[in-house]
Amino acid sequence: MPPVVPPFLIGLIIAPLAKRVLKPLVRGVVTTSVGLVMEVKKAAQEAGENIHDLAVEVAAEMVAAQIAAGEGDRPTEGAASSGEKDEARTPKIRATASAAKAQ
């Protein structure tokens, strides 16, 4: 009959070995997980910025289209006055789009 070894003695021998083997393994898993989470957060932030930029561009195009449609419906008062109105409105649209991108 083989000698009987009490389970607690097996535990006393295996516990330090398991600690030496498992600690680096767990550390590597945690390090990889943290790095992965940081990359995902960075990608999500960049995606949000891209969506915001796209929304700003679409809003600027819609405002420009509304202004263009609104000017076509108005009666013209004269070539000089309508030209002045066009010049006065164009910088505002550009300023709005660039200011929105800056935010």
Side-chain angles (χ1 to χ4, degrees), residues 71 77-92:
E71 289 178 356
E77 296 175 10
S81 63
S82 66
E84 292 172 2
K85 288 180 184 177
D86 289 340
E87 292 174 358
R89 289 178 183 246
T90 303
K92 289 181 184 176

Side-chain angles (χ1 to χ4, degrees), residues 5-27:
V5 179
F8 74 91
L9 287 177
I10 295 172
L12 288 175
I13 295 170
I14 292 180
L17 294 175
K19 182 180 176 183
R20 289 183 190 160
V21 171
L22 291 178
K23 187 174 180 179
L25 180 65
V26 171
R27 178 180 281 249

Side-chain angles (χ1 to χ4, degrees), residues 63-74:
V63 169
Q66 287 176 353
I67 290 173
E71 289 178 356
D73 295 339
R74 289 189 199 149

Side-chain angles (χ1 to χ4, degrees), residues 9-64:
L9 287 177
I10 295 172
L12 288 175
I13 295 170
I14 292 180
L17 294 175
K19 182 180 176 183
R20 289 183 190 160
V21 171
L22 291 178
K23 187 174 180 179
L25 180 65
V26 171
R27 178 180 281 249
V29 168
V30 170
T31 303
T32 303
S33 299
V34 169
L36 183 62
V37 167
M38 292 178 77
E39 290 295 322
V40 168
K41 287 174 87 174
K42 182 179 175 183
Q45 183 180 9
E46 289 176 1
E49 289 175 0
N50 289 340
I51 290 172
H52 184 270
D53 291 345
L54 182 62
V56 168
E57 289 175 13
V58 169
E61 289 174 4
M62 289 180 67
V63 169

